[in-house]
Amino acid sequence: MSELRFDGRVAVVTGAGGGLGKAYALLLAARGAKVVVNDLGGSFDGEGADSTPAQKVVDEIKAAGGEAVANYESVSEWESAQKIIQAAIDTYGKIDILINNAGILRDKSLIKMEIADYLKVIEVHLNGTYFCTKAAFPHMREQKYGRIVSTASAAGVYGNFGQTNYGAAKMGIVGLMNCVCQEGARYGILANTIVPTAGTRLTATVMPPDVVEKLKPEYVAPMVVYMCSEQFQESGKIFTAGGGYFSRAAVIEGQGVFFDTGAEVTPDMIAEKFDQIKLLEGGREYSSATEQTGVVLSRMI
Ligand code: NAI
């Protein structure tokens, strides 16, 4: 098996001062990539700032013979997000890989959640991913090459109690990447989403210490790094990784039921056919909204 290499490639990893982002940055650098290690360095719930975590990761990469530069800007504002991408351009002349990973948590049930905690989580995860992607895209388009991996969560894809802000942001990121995939296709820009599971300071709030210890971020990093490689050719896909488990998740649409559009369709007719309407057996995955609409139009009665 030949080793996947990133020599000559430039990567930006947001939130790379610890946890998963650090594991991605270390592995990419070990495989030859020049890495912008971005991290605001705040608390797990997004308070404060500290340049130490990003700088430490850069020191570790350099000590191992790799190339990296630290950046301490926040992903959550357009102006600062542009500076993160600009750090790659100024230091290394380009950007080939963007890993949108920075994140915080502010968990509370829907009723108890402050509006500020909803907005803050959306700002960091969804807006941060949008801003960094928007800033990186023109550079990738010009060179006709790019790999973007953004971070969703099982909390968004499948739901989780107390995480309405986080779940909304994370599933929003899936929608964002589905569209970036369409816009990037003709320029060699691939956009995918990772759903990780790892013991980090974020999950330490909900997982027992021995599970946190076992679920090392290093078990997620190989998948994400592969998704950033030239060899990887998928786009618009969701992959999961964690604890030695790797898989693909997708939105599946059932075969559905077609009624005669020339006649009235009543709620009672829907109720009568509902068992068939909700069936997923024989269903399929669509690669774009256009494809899905095309199939519906072609089958209209
Ligand atoms: P972590 O807390 O160790 O890492 C997140 C990093 O993002 C921190 O170093 C933090 O300082 C940085 N950050 C926060 N706000 C920032 C901002 N505005 N700008 C720049 N950097 C900022 O947590 P972990 O677990 O490594 O999380 C990484 C990503 O993976 C997050 O997006 C998280 O939501 C996601 N995730 C993690 C899961 C897990 O099992 N650990 C599960 C599902 C998703």
Side-chain angles (χ1 to χ4, degrees):
M1 203 188 303
S2 67
E3 188 184 90
L4 290 173
R5 295 290 308 175
F6 293 86
D7 304 292
R9 294 290 180 203
V10 176
V12 170
V13 185
T14 70
L20 287 160
K22 177 181 175 182
Y24 306 155
L26 291 177
L27 188 53
L28 279 169
R31 296 289 178 120
K34 300 180 179 98
V35 184
V36 175
V37 176
N38 158 265
D39 206 296
L40 178 64
S43 61
F44 85 95
D45 56 357
E47 297 292 350
D50 178 7
S51 60
T52 320
Q55 190 54 53
K56 270 191 171 170
V57 174
V58 167
D59 293 345
E60 200 173 325
I61 290 173
K62 286 187 171 165
E67 277 193 64
V69 67
N71 174 279
Y72 319 112
E73 299 288 342
S74 174
V75 296
S76 65
E77 281 92 40
W78 173 227
E79 283 69 29
S80 51
Q82 287 177 88
K83 288 182 191 161
I84 300 172
I85 305 304
Q86 197 59 41
I89 307 301
D90 291 346
T91 316
Y92 302 122
K94 62 171 182 162
I95 172 169
D96 301 303
I97 295 161
L98 169 63
I99 303 180
N100 289 305
N101 166 79
I104 60 164
L105 282 182
R106 290 193 177 186
D107 296 356
K108 275 211 177 95
S109 66
L110 177 64
I111 285 180
K112 291 184 181 151
M113 187 178 292
E114 300 288 340
I115 298 299
D117 292 335
Y118 169 77
L119 292 175
K120 182 74 183 174
V121 165
I122 296 286
E123 278 164 17
V124 174
H125 290 276
L126 183 55
N127 295 358
T129 299
Y130 177 83
F131 292 149
C132 291
T133 302
K134 184 174 166 68
F137 197 92
H139 301 287
M140 292 178 170
R141 185 179 61 175
E142 201 176 327
Q143 70 193 9
K144 294 204 162 40
Y145 183 88
R147 296 286 181 272
I148 303 171
V149 178
S150 300
T151 312
S153 166
V157 178
Y158 303 115
N160 201 23
F161 189 96
Q163 293 196 308
T164 48
N165 51 359
Y166 184 71
K170 289 308 201 184
M171 207 51 185
I173 287 170
V174 172
L176 169 61
M177 283 305 115
N178 285 343
C179 297
V180 173
C181 158
Q182 304 293 316
E183 296 192 19
R186 78 183 79 159
Y187 306 112
I189 302 171
L190 311 182
N192 292 283
T193 309
I194 186 79
V195 171
T197 306
T200 65
R201 68 175 189 170
L202 284 191
T203 42
T205 58
V206 289
M207 287 177 183
D210 60 318
V211 178
V212 169
E213 182 54 35
K214 272 186 201 147
L215 286 172
K216 295 191 188 310
E218 287 75 13
Y219 296 138
V220 177
M223 183 72 193
V224 171
V225 165
Y226 176 51
M227 290 165 75
C228 292
S229 71
E230 211 174 310
Q231 287 81 350
F232 190 78
Q233 291 299 322
E234 304 288 343
S235 195
K237 305 268 187 336
I238 307 168
F239 293 92
T240 81
Y245 169 71
F246 302 93
S247 66
R248 184 159 84 86
V251 173
I252 304 290
E253 189 164 319
Q255 288 197 337
V257 171
F258 279 83
F259 290 106
D260 182 354
T261 44
E264 187 192 7
V265 178
T266 66
D268 320 279
M269 289 162 72
I270 301 290
E272 198 193 344
K273 290 278 188 192
F274 196 66
D275 281 345
Q276 210 179 324
I277 288 172
K278 74 176 184 187
L279 264 190
L280 282 179
E281 276 81 0
R284 58 170 291 194
E285 186 185 358
Y286 292 99
S287 62
S288 68
T290 314
E291 188 186 21
Q292 192 264 7
T293 312
V295 168
V296 173
L297 290 177
S298 71
R299 289 185 59 192
M300 270 174 69
I301 303 170

